[in-house]
Amino acid sequence: MAFGTIPRTASDDDRWRWYTAVGGRQVHLRPDPYGTTRAVLAYAGRDDLVGKDRPDVVAALTRRYEGVGWETARVLDAFADTEDLYVDQLTQIRMPSWRRGRVAVIGDPRGASHRWAAGEPRSR
């Protein structure tokens, strides 16, 4: 996943909008209270971009999002220049046990995984 702040345009409103494309790719645009828009490119895949240089990240995202349409080109262009491009990997951790002695994992950490992570489990 890649996150960043991009310039707001006249087509942006006060709602979080997203587009889902084939191949497990999503484009999100969310207005913020600072006059800009927060953008997210989320996808199912194992190409770990964490720790890579910005040009390598943007090039990999451009390849992955080729032909997606909607606002994708706008997001990719802005990610090349934004000051706060952040890349992370969503994973689901499968534990052999939810407890050890008097310590237990409960609630969301125990069973919830975001829908973006559902197809890419990673054991630790």
Side-chain angles (χ1 to χ4, degrees), residues 52-105:
K52 298 208 188 269
D53 291 334
R54 178 190 305 261
D56 295 336
V57 168
V58 174
L61 291 171
T62 300
R63 285 190 301 274
R64 177 170 287 278
Y65 280 83
E66 183 177 357
V68 168
W70 193 57
E71 301 269 358
T72 306
R74 170 187 168 203
V75 173
L76 289 167
D77 288 345
F79 277 5
D81 298 319
T82 188
E83 294 180 12
D84 66 349
L85 182 61
Y86 174 76
V87 179
D88 201 357
Q89 202 171 10
L90 264 173
T91 59
Q92 180 182 23
I93 298 178
R94 298 184 187 251
M95 300 170 62
S97 174
W98 297 112
R99 64 178 175 78
R100 182 182 300 160
R102 296 186 307 167
V103 177
V105 180

Side-chain angles (χ1 to χ4, degrees), residues 26-50:
Q26 298 177 351
V27 181
H28 296 251
L29 296 173
R30 181 180 58 84
D32 64 24
Y34 308 108
T36 53
T37 296
R38 305 301 168 105
V40 178
L41 296 178
Y43 56 88
R46 293 192 181 268
D47 56 341
D48 187 7
L49 302 177
V50 175

Side-chain angles (χ1 to χ4, degrees), residues 5-19:
T5 303
I6 66 173
R8 187 171 289 185
T9 66
S11 67
D12 293 331
D13 57 21
D14 62 348
R15 296 184 192 123
W16 187 331
R17 301 177 299 139
W18 66 90
Y19 177 80

